[in-house]
Amino acid sequence: MVRLNAPARGIPPALYTPDEFQAAADALAAGTGPIAIDTERAGNYRYDDRAFLLQLRRADTDTFLIAPEGHRDAVAKILGPVINGKQWILHSARNDLPCLAWLGLHPGELFDTEVASRLAGFRRPSLLNMMDQLLDLQIDKAHSMANWSAYPLPKSWLAYAALDVEHLIELAEELEFLLEEDGYLEWAEEEFRHIVELFKGPCEPEEGNWRSTKGMGSLRSSQQLAVARALWFDRDESAKAMDASPFAILPNKTLIEAARTLPDSYRDVTRLPQFPRDRPGAAEHILKVIDNALDTDPTTWPDLHGPAPSSLPKQLWKNNFSNSWSSYQNVRDEIAGEAEELDLQVDLVIEPHALTDVFWAFVHSALTHPGVEAKDSVNTSTRKLIDRVEPLSLSWLSPTDIEPALATAGVRPWQRRIVTPILRRRLFP
């Protein structure tokens, strides 16, 4: 195994100005073949997950490291005409394409070496492991969590960043050969097209959702949720103004515990877990936000249930509709068996949430029609929850509805060809 500490042709400089971007774009435009791309972000240090470094390379060009901060419009204007619509090679593209789309950069075609590695049967598809397994090269991942918004970027970080794309084209070529041998290349291409489609249009950073905060489900009253919501929005506003990570302003554990215990004194606030003692005035500010939230009209406090789910919680499903639950488990087992035969991880054959949503859509449709399982047999609270569920829309359940329902849930054609016959057998024995 060869350990790589620096690119073969030396460490490329970071490019910070539009003139430097133009020189890089001209060199890339003169190159041929797909473009290997990676990004470095600073989500643990900044408000959002925007890119602070772009790494770009073609087989017959040098590697270019573009630092877009301060000139983001210029990046889109200069790089867009050169790389948009071309074939890109990325590793785990879903992580990088959002911040590239924010810059107005979009692939025409894609080869994702992480997805390809999984379809080729590798259980540890990290870039580090795949470089080792297929190219006998070892790269260092020590700076993956570094603060890439720093200026200037240290040379050791630039070496690390350049190595992420130095051999990415070779890796893609090796994986393409393996996929073609296994007969899975067409499946991979469907996956790549699906990912391109997800990020094809104009894109902005997604707004956060206070209800998705880790630990929110532990709160048991609308009053607690009102406080959690107020703290979350206050934190978000401060983080955005400071361009800082929200978790550096107020850790989730502190936020959730403050909402759960409703402290009303300086002493109690400062005893909250992970309380930010290095922030002057933090305790007084948290107390003020809590007081203001508690002073609001209780009719404006959040609903305990939150947004309508797309399926019934699994324990309620199991307890109240045992027949369909058993059938659902049998479907899962059959799909797992098919995945094992294909030497694929089961979530590649169908994502768990998609299977659950589609199966429950048929169960829910049956509940509103005669037969299958009677809705009236459940208790009032469960019936109310069922009424809140917003499943995939089905006019009525029939064997021909299965494939369109899977398509609506985002299941790709190659996956549908595997899953549809199993669902037909179990839903319509």
Side-chain angles (χ1 to χ4, degrees):
M1 182 189 301
V2 177
R3 180 175 178 82
L4 301 177
N5 296 310
R9 296 180 62 176
I11 302 172
L15 308 178
Y16 292 102
T17 69
D19 285 345
E20 292 173 324
F21 302 165
Q22 187 64 62
D26 292 343
L28 288 166
T32 59
I35 306 163
I37 301 181
D38 191 25
T39 68
E40 304 299 341
R41 305 178 299 279
N44 289 331
Y45 302 90
R46 297 296 189 132
Y47 175 70
D48 56 31
D49 210 28
R50 65 191 186 273
F52 281 90
L53 192 71
L54 313 183
Q55 304 101 285
L56 303 103
R57 179 184 181 85
R58 275 181 144 161
D60 52 0
T61 71
D62 291 331
T63 296
F64 298 97
L65 306 180
I66 293 178
E69 191 71 359
H71 301 287
R72 293 182 177 272
D73 290 342
V75 169
K77 182 179 178 181
I78 293 168
L79 271 185
V82 175
I83 71 172
N84 281 356
K86 302 293 193 297
Q87 184 184 26
W88 295 3
I89 299 174
L90 294 99
H91 191 85
S92 195
R94 288 175 188 248
N95 291 332
D96 296 293
L97 286 179
C99 64
L100 289 163
W102 301 344
L103 288 167
L105 304 176
H106 304 272
E109 299 177 23
L110 174 69
F111 192 101
D112 185 330
T113 51
E114 191 264 346
V115 171
S117 299
R118 296 191 69 206
L119 281 167
F122 292 94
R123 295 299 187 260
R124 292 190 300 122
S126 68
L127 182 60
L128 181 72
N129 187 57
M130 297 314 303
M131 295 281 283
D132 177 5
Q133 292 286 313
L134 295 184
L135 301 180
D136 202 28
L137 298 174
Q138 186 177 18
I139 58 174
D140 188 3
K141 299 299 288 181
H143 302 302
S144 61
M145 302 301 290
N147 181 6
W148 289 92
S149 65
Y151 177 85
L153 292 168
K155 270 199 166 185
S156 60
W157 295 15
L158 298 179
Y160 160 92
L163 286 172
D164 273 354
V165 294
E166 176 106 342
H167 298 279
L168 198 56
I169 296 171
E170 299 165 56
L171 179 61
E173 289 170 349
E174 290 291 327
L175 286 165
E176 185 174 16
F177 174 77
L178 291 178
L179 290 171
E180 195 157 21
E181 271 199 331
D182 292 342
Y184 293 167
L185 184 57
E186 287 187 11
W187 294 1
E189 289 169 347
E190 284 187 24
E191 290 296 305
F192 303 155
R193 286 193 293 271
H194 174 71
I195 295 170
V196 169
E197 192 70 17
L198 292 175
F199 303 100
K200 71 176 183 179
C203 191
E204 295 292 336
E206 287 186 8
E207 293 292 327
N209 180 356
W210 68 273
R211 281 194 181 268
S212 66
T213 305
K214 185 177 180 181
M216 197 65 69
S218 67
L219 303 181
R220 294 289 181 261
S221 73
S222 292
Q223 183 185 55
Q224 292 174 328
L225 288 175
V227 169
R229 180 178 63 183
L231 288 169
W232 189 94
F233 276 103
D234 179 80
R235 177 181 74 173
D236 191 69
E237 185 179 337
S238 297
K240 189 172 186 177
M242 298 166 61
D243 192 12
S245 167
F247 313 113
I249 305 292
L250 188 69
N252 281 344
K253 278 189 176 180
T254 314
L255 187 156
I256 295 298
E257 191 62 13
R260 190 183 70 80
T261 60
L262 304 177
D264 58 4
S265 70
Y266 178 92
R267 182 169 174 267
D268 289 342
V269 170
T270 56
R271 288 188 170 185
L272 292 169
Q274 299 181 9
F275 173 77
R277 298 182 183 279
D278 57 342
R279 281 184 55 213
E284 293 84 352
H285 186 75
I286 290 171
L287 284 170
K288 183 179 179 181
V289 173
I290 293 173
D291 286 344
N292 289 342
L294 294 176
D295 284 344
T296 58
D297 182 351
T299 62
T300 66
W301 292 351
D303 188 330
L304 269 177
H305 297 299
S310 57
S311 64
L312 196 67
K314 291 182 179 179
Q315 195 59 47
L316 285 176
W317 184 356
K318 179 180 179 181
N319 291 344
N320 291 281
F321 306 107
S322 57
N323 289 341
S324 61
W325 176 258
S326 177
S327 182
Y328 169 70
Q329 295 305 313
N330 289 334
V331 166
R332 290 182 62 193
D333 291 343
E334 275 201 58
I335 292 172
E338 287 286 338
E340 189 173 357
E341 286 287 323
L342 296 166
D343 194 26
L344 297 176
Q345 292 170 293
V346 69
D347 66 322
L348 268 177
V349 175
I350 185 169
E351 293 165 354
H353 72 86
L355 177 61
T356 302
D357 286 353
V358 168
F359 200 97
W360 176 256
F362 280 86
V363 174
H364 190 274
S365 183
L367 292 175
T368 63
H369 292 77
V372 188
E373 295 178 86
K375 185 176 176 180
D376 292 338
S377 65
V378 301
N379 62 41
T380 302
S381 61
T382 303
R383 191 179 304 124
K384 285 181 179 178
L385 184 54
I386 292 170
D387 290 338
R388 290 186 62 252
V389 170
E390 293 181 358
L392 297 173
S393 178
L394 296 175
S395 57
W396 174 231
L397 67 169
S398 72
T400 57
D401 288 324
I402 292 174
E403 189 161 0
L406 289 167
T408 300
V411 181
R412 272 70 80 196
W414 74 269
Q415 297 171 317
R416 301 201 297 267
R417 289 192 291 272
I418 297 170
V419 174
T420 299
I422 297 173
L423 284 171
R424 279 181 180 152
R425 285 196 299 273
R426 292 296 176 181
L427 286 167
F428 305 97

